[in-house]
Amino acid sequence: MSRVFRSGHYSLVTFSHKIQCVFVHFLHFRTSRGSEVRTWAAGMMELSDLLRFSHCGRTVFTAPSPAGLRCPECDQAPRFSLAEAPVRVRAPVVNGHRTSCCFLVTSRHGADGLSEEANCELHVGISNSEGVVLSYTESGVRRQQHGWEQSVAVPLVAPGDCIPNWDTQLDRFAAMDTWTPDRFEEQREFGSCCYGFALGFINQLMMSQGKQPITRQRFTTDLVLPRLEAASRYVALFRHVRRHGYWSA
């Protein structure tokens, strides 16, 4: 099922006046009309890590269990050499409020909304140094300390690095007249909205450092799309494991 990202954003560059940004390369995403991202409700699927091991000639994915591992083929507790030890497969999502200086993608439907099969809306924002997420919505720029607990993250600085006055620059950018509530529809016509806000801030930082701005096409294809594809594949795998107890091939 195709999906459309509703705000000038991660698309391979084709824009639609009705949808704002159409993305054609495996997925089409849709951001809400900047609607507020709400804290995902209890009962929604929360991704967690899985374990991968080989036994009986099969590669098996399963969830960690206090009872220990069992091979689904022989129903025995496998013994492993050090080289064969199970590998933890990290879930490709993070709590956006525990990140700093990241471009974030989330869904009000939690991790379920990150699947390519989900026909739901996505939203993007930027985290500051304290994990507060700023995003552009119909009510203007929102600052949220909750609601981005299951997010795909694109780090914007190297681990351990920081950009001086990141928070100050982000706040100043958010306070610009460009991002007021009354200009939301205007921004939507030009495909800006939440994606335009986030990428606009990134490019402002790059230009302030004497660097060339990055195009939406390059940012999307090089940095956003691979992470979303990985998240979509992981969601499908995780659903299978949750439903059947394991996945093997």
Side-chain angles (χ1 to χ4, degrees):
M1 181 179 299
S2 66
R3 303 172 66 198
V4 180
F5 208 3
R6 281 194 140 205
S7 42
H9 104 197
Y10 24 156
S11 255
L12 275 186
V13 113
T14 43
F15 294 96
S16 133
H17 287 294
K18 182 177 181 182
I19 306 278
Q20 305 333 314
C21 170
V22 178
F23 177 51
V24 273
H25 182 45
F26 175 67
L27 295 179
H28 287 312
F29 298 110
R30 174 174 76 194
T31 57
S32 62
R33 292 162 44 94
S35 55
E36 300 172 7
V37 176
R38 300 178 177 85
T39 304
W40 44 276
M44 289 186 182
M45 184 175 71
E46 180 179 359
L47 293 185
S48 57
D49 297 347
L50 295 173
L51 293 178
R52 183 185 71 232
F53 65 92
S54 296
H55 200 257
C56 293
R58 309 280 290 182
T59 298
V60 180
F61 290 83
T62 188
S65 169
L69 296 177
R70 298 194 76 82
C71 173
E73 298 298 320
C74 65
D75 197 32
Q76 299 295 313
R79 297 182 175 223
F80 302 106
S81 68
L82 184 60
E84 298 169 330
V87 175
R88 182 173 293 271
V89 181
R90 298 291 182 183
V93 296
V94 299
N95 183 337
H97 302 292
R98 294 180 181 173
T99 69
S100 61
C101 311
C102 286
F103 175 99
L104 300 170
V105 184
T106 195
S107 163
R108 67 173 59 196
H109 298 284
D112 280 311
L114 299 174
S115 168
E116 66 169 305
E117 298 177 353
N119 186 24
C120 63
E121 298 169 339
L122 299 177
H123 192 52
V124 305
I126 298 284
S127 62
N128 69 12
S129 65
E130 302 295 328
V132 177
V133 182
L134 280 70
S135 64
Y136 185 42
T137 74
E138 286 179 315
S139 58
V141 175
R142 288 184 55 80
R143 293 167 171 79
Q144 294 176 278
Q145 296 179 328
H146 304 282
W148 299 74
E149 287 80 1
Q150 293 271 287
S151 299
V152 171
V154 179
L156 300 175
V157 297
D161 286 353
C162 65
I163 295 177
N165 302 316
W166 174 281
D167 292 355
T168 300
Q169 292 187 65
L170 181 55
D171 287 339
R172 286 176 179 170
F173 184 78
M176 293 172 59
D177 290 342
T178 309
W179 314 114
T180 56
D182 57 299
R183 296 194 64 179
F184 184 84
E185 289 301 322
E186 175 187 339
Q187 291 295 337
R188 199 162 70 90
E189 282 297 312
F190 289 97
S192 289
C193 294
C194 64
Y195 198 89
F197 170 80
L199 188 57
F201 174 67
I202 294 168
N203 279 330
Q204 177 175 283
L205 283 177
M206 294 182 69
M207 289 186 290
S208 71
Q209 297 172 352
K211 300 176 182 177
Q212 289 296 314
I214 188 169
T215 65
R216 295 186 186 195
Q217 177 174 351
R218 183 182 172 195
F219 188 79
T220 299
T221 55
D222 291 357
L223 299 174
V224 180
L225 180 62
R227 288 172 169 83
L228 286 170
E229 290 176 327
S232 179
R233 290 192 297 268
Y234 193 90
V235 167
L237 173 63
F238 189 85
R239 282 176 178 162
H240 187 95
V241 170
R242 190 174 67 165
R243 185 177 301 117
H244 302 285
Y246 69 93
W247 181 91
S248 68

